[in-house]
Amino acid sequence: MNTVLVGAQWGDEGKGKVIDFLTEEADVVVRFQGGSNAGHTVVVGDRKYVLHLVPSGVLHEGKHCVIGNGVVMDPFDLMKELEQVESWGFALKGRFHISERAQMVMQWHRALDRAEEAARPEGEKIGTTGRGIGPAYAAKVGRYGMRVGDILKSDFLDLVRKNVKEANRKLKALGALELDPEEMVRLYTPMVAALMPYVTDTIQFLHEKLESKAGILFEGAQATMLDIDFGTYPFVTSSNPTAGGACTGSGISPRSIDRVVGVIKLYTTRVGEGPFPTELNDADGETLRTRGGEFGATTGRPRRCGWFDAVVGRYAQRVNGVDYWAMTKLDVLDTFPVVKICTGYRRADGFVYTTFPADLDALAACTPIYEEMPGWMTETSHITDYAELPENAKKYINRILELIGGKLGVLSVGPARETTLRIGI
Ligand code: GDP
Ligand code: IMO
Ligand code: MG
């Protein structure tokens, strides 16, 4: 069984936790896009692990972990994370692989990310994670990026020099500090030996695994509404976190994908700038943030919080072809006497959008339409069997499923591994 897992909203839906859960039945876990802008949390016992580049399946001994060609990988972030994973007691030897086609995020991409963000006027800032993601993907599409395989070439350090000089022109124009090419050469020289053991033809590796009927799990980072094509452009990331990205970011055909799992939080959060129709700037929003521990796993920024948005859910179901939902954070809603679901956006002239509009100005002029349902006012985090859920919680979940389509596969009622209910998957 080959499964693609994607985020349905604006990220931080609990993908790391669900990947960890589904890794039990997989042999290989593959990251196919994004980079260290991701922060995926897995809680095991009283330990909390946060992963940025390394697939969240790494906490299961013996499972192969792959960084696919669609990823932008910062070698310094990666090395730090690999050391951390080993210090946690998980051996990596022979089971961690990086595509030679993956792009590298270099120091100048990070510098450019910060400088470009600083140069954007208020209202146009994206609120990026500062991890160099946009400039690294710009370099890839502009055909001047550096690939992991470049470290194997004899002129790798000349390539570093050339790229620093090019980046300096842009940094200067942005009024930012320029980088010293020779210092960059000194910085990147040790990377060649450090990365070498992991560089793999991952396309060959994955196809051999497919042929031997191994199960592959594709771990999406970010989410549908942050997708460069389908999200709230330009307030998005620079990759395709949607299901199609799993194929282009790994070299696997769509015909090899058996199912798509969408991870969706039972309310909504967003970190960074950009439209968020159901955002709450009141006591309810504060309750969601506090109860849900809604602070960024990568940057520590407080996440914006709001009610569940079924327009987003339906859109994500269609764009990704979600078969099964992994619904998360039900427990966070336990204390609300009333819960709300957004079913459409009403324009001033009365027109109602029931699918997500491309025009952000039109969206900004809309007000969300809500359906209200009674809450359950009962703690759910100890529940291990779906049948034991309070009736009102079941009604809330079923109404959402009716609005967004797809089936319920997994329900999560707490951060820990064991607070995960397998339903129909
Ligand atoms: P990801 O980026 O999609 O992997 O999600 P993050 O790890 O950034 O954020 C999800 C946060 O919610 C993490 O702190 C998880 O430990 C936590 N979490 C996941 N599922 C649940 C749940 O069902 N209930 C609660 N209370 N917390 C959860
Ligand atoms: P996971 O995988 C939430 C957001 C940033 C910013 C925008 C662009 O943990 O769900 P970037 O640094 O990618 O150029 O920033 O995207 N963003 C995320 N928000 N979760 C993430 O990852 C995110 N990765 C990027 O906050 O608004
Ligand atoms: Mg996250």
Side-chain angles (χ1 to χ4, degrees), residues 5-7 11-19 37-43 48-51 56 219-223 263 265-267 269 291-298 303 327-333 381 411-416 419-420:
L5 178 138
V6 292
D12 307 324
E13 295 88 352
K15 298 177 292 293
K17 181 190 165 169
V18 181
I19 285 282
N37 49 349
H40 295 178
T41 314
V42 182
V43 177
K48 179 169 144 179
Y49 305 96
V50 181
L51 297 148
S56 306
E219 175 174 355
Q222 289 81 56
V263 187
K265 215 180 273 200
L266 286 160
Y267 52 97
T269 64
R291 282 188 58 82
E294 297 296 356
F295 296 88
T298 296
R303 294 175 184 151
M327 292 183 160
T328 61
K329 305 193 99 160
L330 179 75
D331 55 302
V332 175
L333 297 173
S381 52
L411 179 68
S412 172
V413 293
T419 54
T420 321

Side-chain angles (χ1 to χ4, degrees), residues 61-75:
E61 293 288 356
K63 307 286 177 167
H64 286 276
C65 291
V66 172
I67 302 275
N69 58 275
V71 171
V72 289
M73 185 278 295
D74 183 322

Side-chain angles (χ1 to χ4, degrees), residues 161-293:
R161 283 189 189 91
K162 185 171 148 219
N163 276 281
V164 181
K165 284 180 191 150
E166 202 53 43
N168 276 342
R169 288 199 304 119
K170 294 181 195 155
L171 287 168
K172 193 173 173 190
L174 287 162
L177 282 179
E178 294 175 54
L179 300 173
D180 173 9
E182 292 316 310
E183 193 195 327
M184 289 298 116
V185 163
R186 275 194 296 280
L187 205 60
Y188 282 103
T189 304
M191 274 307 149
V192 176
L195 285 172
M196 201 85 87
Y198 305 113
V199 182
T200 309
D201 180 347
T202 52
I203 298 176
Q204 174 72 6
F205 175 81
L206 290 173
H207 280 271
E208 280 171 11
K209 288 288 175 196
L210 282 180
E211 279 153 26
S212 66
K213 303 274 179 258
I216 303 181
L217 182 54
F218 295 88
E219 175 174 355
Q222 289 81 56
T224 306
M225 301 313 290
L226 289 172
D227 186 287
I228 188 82
D229 287 285
F230 304 110
T232 47
Y233 188 90
F235 303 98
V236 291
T237 192
S238 301
S239 66
N240 286 122
T242 40
C247 295
T248 53
S250 71
I252 296 295
S253 151
R255 305 172 83 128
S256 298
I257 308 296
D258 300 301
R259 64 180 182 189
V260 177
V261 174
V263 187
I264 198 159
K265 215 180 273 200
L266 286 160
Y267 52 97
T268 314
T269 64
R270 173 163 206 172
V271 58
E273 305 302 321
F276 179 177
T278 63
E279 182 170 13
L280 292 168
N281 290 305
D282 60 6
D284 284 343
E286 200 47 51
T287 304
L288 289 172
R289 188 173 307 111
T290 314
R291 282 188 58 82

